[in-house]
Amino acid sequence: MRRTVLPAVLLGLLLAFPAVAQAQILAKINLSSQRMNVYVDGAARYSWPVSTARPGYRTPVGTFKPTALVRYHRSTIYSGSPMPYSIFFLRGYAIHGSYETKYLGRPASHGCIRLHPSNAAALYSLVKQHGAGNTVIQISY
């Protein structure tokens, strides 16, 4: 009996662990409500206020995949502004932490999606853990 149980257990472990590593992360950003909802394998995990583009700037709308993850980035365009836990998704656009937390929940950025630094760290960790290839960013009105 031991000969059939051990292979069955090993097979079960092999099948279980890749599924965990390949969880689907979905970050849905709504520009009208200035909120981000994060789902893991279809289950709601987080809901956070964000700041997106203020008047005169734009946050791109559409469906994107992360192109780069940078733990601590400084803007090369806006006076070296700190962008902790950056998840870049289109050219210079990123989801990142911001220390300007009093503006969260209303448009305030040059186009990036700003989060509270602790929320940005949680999202960054999820994407790093499960992989950029298993992450989708959806931005809509």
Side-chain angles (χ1 to χ4, degrees):
M1 176 147 134
R2 207 181 313 179
R3 288 184 182 191
T4 55
V5 172
L6 185 58
V9 170
L10 290 175
L11 180 61
L13 289 173
L14 287 173
L15 293 174
F17 282 113
V20 171
Q22 295 179 2
Q24 181 69 31
I25 309 299
L26 173 61
K28 292 181 81 168
I29 297 95
N30 185 286
L31 300 177
S32 299
S33 66
Q34 293 291 291
R35 285 204 79 75
M36 174 187 294
N37 294 303
V38 179
Y39 302 86
V40 179
D41 286 335
R45 175 75 63 94
Y46 300 111
S47 182
W48 299 312
V50 297
S51 287
T52 60
R54 66 181 185 233
Y57 296 90
R58 76 178 212 42
T59 297
V61 175
T63 301
F64 308 94
K65 293 289 235 177
T67 56
L69 279 77
V70 182
R71 165 61 187 85
Y72 192 79
H73 180 75
R74 285 196 167 273
S75 174
T76 55
I77 301 170
Y78 299 108
S79 306
S81 296
M83 298 168 59
Y85 303 105
S86 291
I87 302 169
F88 288 90
F89 60 89
L90 178 68
R91 295 184 299 275
Y93 291 99
I95 298 170
H96 64 81
S98 173
Y99 301 111
E100 299 286 330
T101 57
K102 65 184 176 185
Y103 298 112
L104 294 174
R106 62 182 189 234
S109 79
H110 290 107
C112 284
I113 298 161
R114 296 179 183 174
L115 286 168
H116 188 282
S118 62
N119 298 339
L123 180 62
Y124 183 93
S125 177
L126 269 179
V127 174
K128 193 121 169 106
Q129 177 184 0
H130 298 291
N134 296 315
T135 302
V136 174
I137 299 164
Q138 287 183 351
I139 306 169
S140 64
Y141 290 105

mmCIF file of all heavy atoms in Angstrom, residues 14-63:
data_model
loop_
_atom_site.group_PDB
_atom_site.id
_atom_site.type_symbol
_atom_site.label_atom_id
_atom_site.label_comp_id
_atom_site.label_asym_id
_atom_site.label_seq_id
_atom_site.Cartn_x
_atom_site.Cartn_y
_atom_site.Cartn_z
ATOM 1 N N LEU A 14 2.834 17.946 -6.761
ATOM 2 C CA LEU A 14 3.279 18.518 -8.033
ATOM 3 C C LEU A 14 2.163 19.293 -8.717
ATOM 4 O O LEU A 14 2.396 20.329 -9.328
ATOM 5 C CB LEU A 14 3.801 17.419 -8.960
ATOM 6 C CG LEU A 14 5.152 16.813 -8.590
ATOM 7 C CD1 LEU A 14 5.453 15.620 -9.498
ATOM 8 C CD2 LEU A 14 6.248 17.853 -8.687
ATOM 9 N N LEU A 15 0.963 18.782 -8.624
ATOM 10 C CA LEU A 15 -0.173 19.460 -9.247
ATOM 11 C C LEU A 15 -0.597 20.688 -8.453
ATOM 12 O O LEU A 15 -1.047 21.678 -9.025
ATOM 13 C CB LEU A 15 -1.351 18.491 -9.399
ATOM 14 C CG LEU A 15 -1.135 17.339 -10.382
ATOM 15 C CD1 LEU A 15 -2.311 16.374 -10.328
ATOM 16 C CD2 LEU A 15 -0.924 17.865 -11.788
ATOM 17 N N ALA A 16 -0.452 20.653 -7.142
ATOM 18 C CA ALA A 16 -0.913 21.758 -6.296
ATOM 19 C C ALA A 16 0.012 22.966 -6.357
ATOM 20 O O ALA A 16 -0.446 24.095 -6.470
ATOM 21 C CB ALA A 16 -1.052 21.286 -4.857
ATOM 22 N N PHE A 17 1.313 22.760 -6.294
ATOM 23 C CA PHE A 17 2.224 23.895 -6.200
ATOM 24 C C PHE A 17 2.281 24.764 -7.442
ATOM 25 O O PHE A 17 2.291 25.974 -7.339
ATOM 26 C CB PHE A 17 3.612 23.450 -5.761
ATOM 27 C CG PHE A 17 3.687 23.189 -4.288
ATOM 28 C CD1 PHE A 17 3.889 21.915 -3.809
ATOM 29 C CD2 PHE A 17 3.507 24.223 -3.380
ATOM 30 C CE1 PHE A 17 3.929 21.659 -2.453
ATOM 31 C CE2 PHE A 17 3.541 23.990 -2.016
ATOM 32 C CZ PHE A 17 3.752 22.711 -1.551
ATOM 33 N N PRO A 18 2.289 24.231 -8.664
ATOM 34 C CA PRO A 18 2.263 25.117 -9.825
ATOM 35 C C PRO A 18 0.995 25.966 -9.866
ATOM 36 O O PRO A 18 1.035 27.106 -10.290
ATOM 37 C CB PRO A 18 2.334 24.172 -11.027
ATOM 38 C CG PRO A 18 3.008 22.960 -10.499
ATOM 39 C CD PRO A 18 2.553 22.851 -9.070
ATOM 40 N N ALA A 19 -0.116 25.446 -9.403
ATOM 41 C CA ALA A 19 -1.365 26.213 -9.405
ATOM 42 C C ALA A 19 -1.247 27.413 -8.477
ATOM 43 O O ALA A 19 -1.741 28.495 -8.777
ATOM 44 C CB ALA A 19 -2.536 25.324 -8.983
ATOM 45 N N VAL A 20 -0.580 27.248 -7.349
ATOM 46 C CA VAL A 20 -0.391 28.356 -6.422
ATOM 47 C C VAL A 20 0.517 29.406 -7.052
ATOM 48 O O VAL A 20 0.252 30.593 -6.989
ATOM 49 C CB VAL A 20 0.193 27.847 -5.083
ATOM 50 C CG1 VAL A 20 0.607 29.002 -4.199
ATOM 51 C CG2 VAL A 20 -0.816 26.963 -4.369
ATOM 52 N N ALA A 21 1.577 28.978 -7.678
ATOM 53 C CA ALA A 21 2.533 29.908 -8.272
ATOM 54 C C ALA A 21 1.941 30.655 -9.461
ATOM 55 O O ALA A 21 2.408 31.722 -9.802
ATOM 56 C CB ALA A 21 3.789 29.162 -8.702
ATOM 57 N N GLN A 22 0.910 30.107 -10.090
ATOM 58 C CA GLN A 22 0.357 30.722 -11.281
ATOM 59 C C GLN A 22 -1.003 31.367 -11.041
ATOM 60 O O GLN A 22 -1.816 31.454 -11.947
ATOM 61 C CB GLN A 22 0.263 29.683 -12.391
ATOM 62 C CG GLN A 22 1.627 29.200 -12.831
ATOM 63 C CD GLN A 22 1.537 28.164 -13.919
ATOM 64 O OE1 GLN A 22 0.474 27.806 -14.387
ATOM 65 N NE2 GLN A 22 2.679 27.661 -14.334
ATOM 66 N N ALA A 23 -1.268 31.831 -9.835
ATOM 67 C CA ALA A 23 -2.531 32.505 -9.551
ATOM 68 C C ALA A 23 -2.680 33.716 -10.462
ATOM 69 O O ALA A 23 -1.709 34.388 -10.785
ATOM 70 C CB ALA A 23 -2.577 32.937 -8.084
ATOM 71 N N GLN A 24 -3.888 33.973 -10.876
ATOM 72 C CA GLN A 24 -4.170 35.118 -11.742
ATOM 73 C C GLN A 24 -4.460 36.338 -10.872
ATOM 74 O O GLN A 24 -5.344 36.301 -10.023
ATOM 75 C CB GLN A 24 -5.376 34.811 -12.645
ATOM 76 C CG GLN A 24 -5.724 35.911 -13.594
ATOM 77 C CD GLN A 24 -4.684 36.104 -14.694
ATOM 78 O OE1 GLN A 24 -4.025 35.173 -15.118
ATOM 79 N NE2 GLN A 24 -4.537 37.316 -15.151
ATOM 80 N N ILE A 25 -3.712 37.409 -11.089
ATOM 81 C CA ILE A 25 -3.912 38.670 -10.379
ATOM 82 C C ILE A 25 -4.589 39.637 -11.347
ATOM 83 O O ILE A 25 -4.126 39.817 -12.472
ATOM 84 C CB ILE A 25 -2.563 39.285 -9.919
ATOM 85 C CG1 ILE A 25 -1.716 38.278 -9.159
ATOM 86 C CG2 ILE A 25 -2.793 40.568 -9.132
ATOM 87 C CD1 ILE A 25 -2.316 37.739 -7.913
ATOM 88 N N LEU A 26 -5.667 40.261 -10.907
ATOM 89 C CA LEU A 26 -6.369 41.264 -11.700
ATOM 90 C C LEU A 26 -6.478 42.534 -10.873
ATOM 91 O O LEU A 26 -7.058 42.519 -9.783
ATOM 92 C CB LEU A 26 -7.759 40.770 -12.104
ATOM 93 C CG LEU A 26 -8.677 41.783 -12.790
ATOM 94 C CD1 LEU A 26 -8.071 42.294 -14.099
ATOM 95 C CD2 LEU A 26 -10.051 41.172 -13.038
ATOM 96 N N ALA A 27 -5.897 43.612 -11.375
ATOM 97 C CA ALA A 27 -6.013 44.924 -10.746
ATOM 98 C C ALA A 27 -6.930 45.761 -11.625
ATOM 99 O O ALA A 27 -6.577 46.087 -12.759
ATOM 100 C CB ALA A 27 -4.645 45.577 -10.611
ATOM 101 N N LYS A 28 -8.124 46.076 -11.111
ATOM 102 C CA LYS A 28 -9.110 46.867 -11.867
ATOM 103 C C LYS A 28 -9.146 48.275 -11.287
ATOM 104 O O LYS A 28 -9.465 48.454 -10.114
ATOM 105 C CB LYS A 28 -10.489 46.227 -11.774
ATOM 106 C CG LYS A 28 -10.594 44.894 -12.487
ATOM 107 C CD LYS A 28 -11.987 44.304 -12.391
ATOM 108 C CE LYS A 28 -12.864 44.957 -13.429
ATOM 109 N NZ LYS A 28 -14.147 44.256 -13.598
ATOM 110 N N ILE A 29 -8.813 49.250 -12.132
ATOM 111 C CA ILE A 29 -8.802 50.646 -11.713
ATOM 112 C C ILE A 29 -9.957 51.347 -12.390
ATOM 113 O O ILE A 29 -10.116 51.286 -13.608
ATOM 114 C CB ILE A 29 -7.462 51.335 -12.090
ATOM 115 C CG1 ILE A 29 -6.301 50.669 -11.363
ATOM 116 C CG2 ILE A 29 -7.515 52.811 -11.755
ATOM 117 C CD1 ILE A 29 -5.604 49.611 -12.147
ATOM 118 N N ASN A 30 -10.784 52.008 -11.582
ATOM 119 C CA ASN A 30 -11.912 52.768 -12.107
ATOM 120 C C ASN A 30 -11.592 54.251 -11.944
ATOM 121 O O ASN A 30 -11.465 54.738 -10.815
ATOM 122 C CB ASN A 30 -13.200 52.402 -11.375
ATOM 123 C CG ASN A 30 -14.397 53.099 -11.979
ATOM 124 O OD1 ASN A 30 -14.566 54.296 -11.785
ATOM 125 N ND2 ASN A 30 -15.204 52.352 -12.711
ATOM 126 N N LEU A 31 -11.448 54.952 -13.062
ATOM 127 C CA LEU A 31 -11.079 56.362 -13.028
ATOM 128 C C LEU A 31 -12.185 57.234 -12.439
ATOM 129 O O LEU A 31 -11.897 58.237 -11.782
ATOM 130 C CB LEU A 31 -10.709 56.847 -14.435
ATOM 131 C CG LEU A 31 -9.536 56.112 -15.098
ATOM 132 C CD1 LEU A 31 -9.309 56.628 -16.511
ATOM 133 C CD2 LEU A 31 -8.276 56.242 -14.275
ATOM 134 N N SER A 32 -13.442 56.859 -12.657
ATOM 135 C CA SER A 32 -14.564 57.649 -12.135
ATOM 136 C C SER A 32 -14.628 57.598 -10.612
ATOM 137 O O SER A 32 -14.835 58.618 -9.955
ATOM 138 C CB SER A 32 -15.888 57.168 -12.716
ATOM 139 O OG SER A 32 -15.886 57.306 -14.117
ATOM 140 N N SER A 33 -14.455 56.425 -10.055
ATOM 141 C CA SER A 33 -14.545 56.274 -8.601
ATOM 142 C C SER A 33 -13.203 56.449 -7.897
ATOM 143 O O SER A 33 -13.152 56.512 -6.667
ATOM 144 C CB SER A 33 -15.138 54.912 -8.239
ATOM 145 O OG SER A 33 -14.260 53.864 -8.622
ATOM 146 N N GLN A 34 -12.102 56.491 -8.688
ATOM 147 C CA GLN A 34 -10.752 56.598 -8.123
ATOM 148 C C GLN A 34 -10.485 55.470 -7.129
ATOM 149 O O GLN A 34 -10.024 55.675 -6.006
ATOM 150 C CB GLN A 34 -10.543 57.972 -7.457
ATOM 151 C CG GLN A 34 -10.538 59.134 -8.426
ATOM 152 C CD GLN A 34 -9.313 59.143 -9.326
ATOM 153 O OE1 GLN A 34 -8.204 59.386 -8.887
ATOM 154 N NE2 GLN A 34 -9.523 58.874 -10.609
ATOM 155 N N ARG A 35 -10.805 54.235 -7.569
ATOM 156 C CA ARG A 35 -10.580 53.047 -6.743
ATOM 157 C C ARG A 35 -9.907 51.955 -7.550
ATOM 158 O O ARG A 35 -10.103 51.855 -8.760
ATOM 159 C CB ARG A 35 -11.891 52.494 -6.192
ATOM 160 C CG ARG A 35 -12.423 53.346 -5.060
ATOM 161 C CD ARG A 35 -13.328 52.614 -4.113
ATOM 162 N NE ARG A 35 -12.702 51.771 -3.116
ATOM 163 C CZ ARG A 35 -12.080 52.196 -2.026
ATOM 164 N NH1 ARG A 35 -11.927 53.468 -1.802
ATOM 165 N NH2 ARG A 35 -11.596 51.336 -1.149
ATOM 166 N N MET A 36 -9.152 51.129 -6.844
ATOM 167 C CA MET A 36 -8.567 49.937 -7.416
ATOM 168 C C MET A 36 -9.100 48.747 -6.631
ATOM 169 O O MET A 36 -9.062 48.742 -5.399
ATOM 170 C CB MET A 36 -7.037 49.951 -7.299
ATOM 171 C CG MET A 36 -6.402 48.636 -7.765
ATOM 172 S SD MET A 36 -4.627 48.540 -7.442
ATOM 173 C CE MET A 36 -4.020 49.818 -8.512
ATOM 174 N N ASN A 37 -9.593 47.763 -7.359
ATOM 175 C CA ASN A 37 -10.007 46.502 -6.757
ATOM 176 C C ASN A 37 -9.060 45.429 -7.271
ATOM 177 O O ASN A 37 -8.805 45.345 -8.466
ATOM 178 C CB ASN A 37 -11.452 46.163 -7.113
ATOM 179 C CG ASN A 37 -12.412 47.157 -6.490
ATOM 180 O OD1 ASN A 37 -12.412 47.335 -5.278
ATOM 181 N ND2 ASN A 37 -13.210 47.816 -7.307
ATOM 182 N N VAL A 38 -8.548 44.630 -6.353
ATOM 183 C CA VAL A 38 -7.591 43.595 -6.700
ATOM 184 C C VAL A 38 -8.223 42.236 -6.435
ATOM 185 O O VAL A 38 -8.789 41.999 -5.363
ATOM 186 C CB VAL A 38 -6.286 43.738 -5.882
ATOM 187 C CG1 VAL A 38 -5.296 42.636 -6.243
ATOM 188 C CG2 VAL A 38 -5.668 45.118 -6.107
ATOM 189 N N TYR A 39 -8.120 41.363 -7.437
ATOM 190 C CA TYR A 39 -8.678 40.016 -7.367
ATOM 191 C C TYR A 39 -7.555 38.998 -7.545
ATOM 192 O O TYR A 39 -6.647 39.204 -8.359
ATOM 193 C CB TYR A 39 -9.709 39.810 -8.481
ATOM 194 C CG TYR A 39 -10.836 40.811 -8.428
ATOM 195 C CD1 TYR A 39 -10.718 42.050 -9.045
ATOM 196 C CD2 TYR A 39 -12.021 40.513 -7.755
ATOM 197 C CE1 TYR A 39 -11.741 42.981 -8.983
ATOM 198 C CE2 TYR A 39 -13.053 41.433 -7.692
ATOM 199 C CZ TYR A 39 -12.911 42.665 -8.308
ATOM 200 O OH TYR A 39 -13.931 43.581 -8.242
ATOM 201 N N VAL A 40 -7.636 37.918 -6.801
ATOM 202 C CA VAL A 40 -6.710 36.803 -6.949
ATOM 203 C C VAL A 40 -7.537 35.585 -7.287
ATOM 204 O O VAL A 40 -8.415 35.186 -6.506
ATOM 205 C CB VAL A 40 -5.885 36.569 -5.659
ATOM 206 C CG1 VAL A 40 -4.955 35.378 -5.836
ATOM 207 C CG2 VAL A 40 -5.097 37.818 -5.288
ATOM 208 N N ASP A 41 -7.317 35.034 -8.473
ATOM 209 C CA ASP A 41 -8.105 33.907 -8.975
ATOM 210 C C ASP A 41 -9.610 34.182 -8.897
ATOM 211 O O ASP A 41 -10.400 33.314 -8.529
ATOM 212 C CB ASP A 41 -7.756 32.623 -8.221
ATOM 213 C CG ASP A 41 -6.407 32.063 -8.631
ATOM 214 O OD1 ASP A 41 -5.966 32.345 -9.764
ATOM 215 O OD2 ASP A 41 -5.787 31.356 -7.818
ATOM 216 N N GLY A 42 -9.995 35.419 -9.210
ATOM 217 C CA GLY A 42 -11.407 35.790 -9.243
ATOM 218 C C GLY A 42 -11.999 36.201 -7.907
ATOM 219 O O GLY A 42 -13.108 36.729 -7.851
ATOM 220 N N ALA A 43 -11.283 35.994 -6.822
ATOM 221 C CA ALA A 43 -11.787 36.357 -5.494
ATOM 222 C C ALA A 43 -11.282 37.750 -5.112
ATOM 223 O O ALA A 43 -10.083 38.035 -5.230
ATOM 224 C CB ALA A 43 -11.333 35.338 -4.456
ATOM 225 N N ALA A 44 -12.197 38.603 -4.656
ATOM 226 C CA ALA A 44 -11.815 39.958 -4.241
ATOM 227 C C ALA A 44 -10.833 39.875 -3.080
ATOM 228 O O ALA A 44 -11.062 39.160 -2.108
ATOM 229 C CB ALA A 44 -13.052 40.743 -3.835
ATOM 230 N N ARG A 45 -9.713 40.606 -3.201
ATOM 231 C CA ARG A 45 -8.697 40.591 -2.151
ATOM 232 C C ARG A 45 -8.550 41.966 -1.505
ATOM 233 O O ARG A 45 -8.467 42.081 -0.306
ATOM 234 C CB ARG A 45 -7.369 40.130 -2.749
ATOM 235 C CG ARG A 45 -6.162 40.165 -1.838
ATOM 236 C CD ARG A 45 -6.110 39.063 -0.794
ATOM 237 N NE ARG A 45 -6.015 37.737 -1.333
ATOM 238 C CZ ARG A 45 -4.898 37.060 -1.528
ATOM 239 N NH1 ARG A 45 -3.738 37.600 -1.231
ATOM 240 N NH2 ARG A 45 -4.936 35.839 -2.011
ATOM 241 N N TYR A 46 -8.496 43.034 -2.340
ATOM 242 C CA TYR A 46 -8.298 44.385 -1.814
ATOM 243 C C TYR A 46 -9.174 45.377 -2.568
ATOM 244 O O TYR A 46 -9.490 45.172 -3.741
ATOM 245 C CB TYR A 46 -6.839 44.840 -1.998
ATOM 246 C CG TYR A 46 -5.811 43.980 -1.325
ATOM 247 C CD1 TYR A 46 -4.925 43.208 -2.068
ATOM 248 C CD2 TYR A 46 -5.692 43.953 0.065
ATOM 249 C CE1 TYR A 46 -3.950 42.428 -1.456
ATOM 250 C CE2 TYR A 46 -4.723 43.174 0.686
ATOM 251 C CZ TYR A 46 -3.865 42.415 -0.077
ATOM 252 O OH TYR A 46 -2.903 41.657 0.529
ATOM 253 N N SER A 47 -9.485 46.489 -1.901
ATOM 254 C CA SER A 47 -10.138 47.630 -2.527
ATOM 255 C C SER A 47 -9.519 48.882 -1.909
ATOM 256 O O SER A 47 -9.603 49.073 -0.687
ATOM 257 C CB SER A 47 -11.647 47.595 -2.278
ATOM 258 O OG SER A 47 -12.271 48.685 -2.929
ATOM 259 N N TRP A 48 -8.873 49.692 -2.750
ATOM 260 C CA TRP A 48 -8.123 50.840 -2.250
ATOM 261 C C TRP A 48 -8.458 52.107 -3.033
ATOM 262 O O TRP A 48 -8.704 52.057 -4.242
ATOM 263 C CB TRP A 48 -6.631 50.614 -2.419
ATOM 264 C CG TRP A 48 -6.047 49.453 -1.698
ATOM 265 C CD1 TRP A 48 -6.222 49.107 -0.395
ATOM 266 C CD2 TRP A 48 -5.139 48.483 -2.240
ATOM 267 N NE1 TRP A 48 -5.474 47.995 -0.092
ATOM 268 C CE2 TRP A 48 -4.801 47.585 -1.205
ATOM 269 C CE3 TRP A 48 -4.574 48.287 -3.494
ATOM 270 C CZ2 TRP A 48 -3.929 46.523 -1.376
ATOM 271 C CZ3 TRP A 48 -3.701 47.232 -3.672
ATOM 272 C CH2 TRP A 48 -3.384 46.362 -2.621
ATOM 273 N N PRO A 49 -8.372 53.277 -2.369
ATOM 274 C CA PRO A 49 -8.466 54.538 -3.113
ATOM 275 C C PRO A 49 -7.162 54.771 -3.876
ATOM 276 O O PRO A 49 -6.080 54.359 -3.421
ATOM 277 C CB PRO A 49 -8.661 55.584 -2.013
ATOM 278 C CG PRO A 49 -8.017 54.989 -0.802
ATOM 279 C CD PRO A 49 -8.211 53.494 -0.930
ATOM 280 N N VAL A 50 -7.269 55.393 -5.022
ATOM 281 C CA VAL A 50 -6.099 55.733 -5.840
ATOM 282 C C VAL A 50 -6.200 57.191 -6.266
ATOM 283 O O VAL A 50 -7.250 57.823 -6.120
ATOM 284 C CB VAL A 50 -5.993 54.843 -7.104
ATOM 285 C CG1 VAL A 50 -5.803 53.388 -6.744
ATOM 286 C CG2 VAL A 50 -7.181 55.034 -8.029
ATOM 287 N N SER A 51 -5.122 57.700 -6.802
ATOM 288 C CA SER A 51 -5.127 58.984 -7.499
ATOM 289 C C SER A 51 -4.622 58.721 -8.897
ATOM 290 O O SER A 51 -3.585 58.080 -9.077
ATOM 291 C CB SER A 51 -4.220 60.008 -6.812
ATOM 292 O OG SER A 51 -4.802 60.451 -5.621
ATOM 293 N N THR A 52 -5.372 59.200 -9.868
ATOM 294 C CA THR A 52 -4.971 59.076 -11.270
ATOM 295 C C THR A 52 -4.798 60.487 -11.832
ATOM 296 O O THR A 52 -4.714 61.453 -11.070
ATOM 297 C CB THR A 52 -6.010 58.260 -12.061
ATOM 298 O OG1 THR A 52 -7.272 58.912 -11.999
ATOM 299 C CG2 THR A 52 -6.137 56.847 -11.497
ATOM 300 N N ALA A 53 -4.761 60.618 -13.143
ATOM 301 C CA ALA A 53 -4.415 61.885 -13.790
ATOM 302 C C ALA A 53 -5.336 63.044 -13.408
ATOM 303 O O ALA A 53 -6.552 62.937 -13.478
ATOM 304 C CB ALA A 53 -4.419 61.711 -15.300
ATOM 305 N N ARG A 54 -4.707 64.126 -13.044
ATOM 306 C CA ARG A 54 -5.436 65.371 -12.776
ATOM 307 C C ARG A 54 -5.713 66.066 -14.108
ATOM 308 O O ARG A 54 -5.145 65.666 -15.146
ATOM 309 C CB ARG A 54 -4.634 66.256 -11.828
ATOM 310 C CG ARG A 54 -3.344 66.775 -12.407
ATOM 311 C CD ARG A 54 -2.616 67.616 -11.360
ATOM 312 N NE ARG A 54 -1.433 68.240 -11.897
ATOM 313 C CZ ARG A 54 -0.246 68.147 -11.368
ATOM 314 N NH1 ARG A 54 -0.056 67.441 -10.265
ATOM 315 N NH2 ARG A 54 0.783 68.752 -11.910
ATOM 316 N N PRO A 55 -6.558 67.099 -14.115
ATOM 317 C CA PRO A 55 -6.849 67.807 -15.370
ATOM 318 C C PRO A 55 -5.563 68.266 -16.073
ATOM 319 O O PRO A 55 -4.628 68.741 -15.438
ATOM 320 C CB PRO A 55 -7.697 68.996 -14.918
ATOM 321 C CG PRO A 55 -8.382 68.501 -13.675
ATOM 322 C CD PRO A 55 -7.350 67.633 -12.993
ATOM 323 N N GLY A 56 -5.544 68.074 -17.378
ATOM 324 C CA GLY A 56 -4.377 68.420 -18.180
ATOM 325 C C GLY A 56 -3.454 67.240 -18.451
ATOM 326 O O GLY A 56 -2.529 67.351 -19.243
ATOM 327 N N TYR A 57 -3.695 66.132 -17.758
ATOM 328 C CA TYR A 57 -2.911 64.913 -17.935
ATOM 329 C C TYR A 57 -3.867 63.763 -18.193
ATOM 330 O O TYR A 57 -5.079 63.928 -18.101
ATOM 331 C CB TYR A 57 -2.046 64.625 -16.691
ATOM 332 C CG TYR A 57 -1.007 65.694 -16.460
ATOM 333 C CD1 TYR A 57 -1.296 66.805 -15.671
ATOM 334 C CD2 TYR A 57 0.247 65.613 -17.049
ATOM 335 C CE1 TYR A 57 -0.347 67.808 -15.472
ATOM 336 C CE2 TYR A 57 1.197 66.601 -16.854
ATOM 337 C CZ TYR A 57 0.890 67.695 -16.069
ATOM 338 O OH TYR A 57 1.821 68.669 -15.877
ATOM 339 N N ARG A 58 -3.319 62.587 -18.515
ATOM 340 C CA ARG A 58 -4.199 61.453 -18.758
ATOM 341 C C ARG A 58 -3.612 60.164 -18.222
ATOM 342 O O ARG A 58 -2.392 59.967 -18.227
ATOM 343 C CB ARG A 58 -4.539 61.310 -20.240
ATOM 344 C CG ARG A 58 -3.448 60.729 -21.113
ATOM 345 C CD ARG A 58 -3.915 60.596 -22.548
ATOM 346 N NE ARG A 58 -3.456 59.573 -23.407
ATOM 347 C CZ ARG A 58 -3.243 58.289 -23.197
ATOM 348 N NH1 ARG A 58 -3.412 57.770 -22.062
ATOM 349 N NH2 ARG A 58 -2.856 57.473 -24.133
ATOM 350 N N THR A 59 -4.499 59.314 -17.760
ATOM 351 C CA THR A 59 -4.147 57.946 -17.399
ATOM 352 C C THR A 59 -4.684 57.079 -18.526
ATOM 353 O O THR A 59 -5.866 57.206 -18.875
ATOM 354 C CB THR A 59 -4.795 57.546 -16.052
ATOM 355 O OG1 THR A 59 -4.273 58.393 -15.018
ATOM 356 C CG2 THR A 59 -4.500 56.097 -15.709
ATOM 357 N N PRO A 60 -3.861 56.239 -19.133
ATOM 358 C CA PRO A 60 -4.344 55.433 -20.263
ATOM 359 C C PRO A 60 -5.437 54.454 -19.826
ATOM 360 O O PRO A 60 -5.425 53.941 -18.706
ATOM 361 C CB PRO A 60 -3.101 54.681 -20.733
ATOM 362 C CG PRO A 60 -2.168 54.701 -19.577
ATOM 363 C CD PRO A 60 -2.472 55.927 -18.783
ATOM 364 N N VAL A 61 -6.383 54.244 -20.723
ATOM 365 C CA VAL A 61 -7.487 53.308 -20.491
ATOM 366 C C VAL A 61 -7.224 52.066 -21.328
ATOM 367 O O VAL A 61 -6.745 52.164 -22.458
ATOM 368 C CB VAL A 61 -8.827 53.969 -20.892
ATOM 369 C CG1 VAL A 61 -9.970 52.987 -20.790
ATOM 370 C CG2 VAL A 61 -9.093 55.190 -20.017
ATOM 371 N N GLY A 62 -7.521 50.895 -20.770
ATOM 372 C CA GLY A 62 -7.332 49.654 -21.516
ATOM 373 C C GLY A 62 -6.901 48.526 -20.603
ATOM 374 O O GLY A 62 -6.967 48.635 -19.376
ATOM 375 N N THR A 63 -6.457 47.457 -21.234
ATOM 376 C CA THR A 63 -5.988 46.274 -20.515
ATOM 377 C C THR A 63 -4.497 46.115 -20.793
ATOM 378 O O THR A 63 -4.070 46.144 -21.951
ATOM 379 C CB THR A 63 -6.766 45.028 -20.969
ATOM 380 O OG1 THR A 63 -8.155 45.248 -20.706
ATOM 381 C CG2 THR A 63 -6.305 43.785 -20.234
#
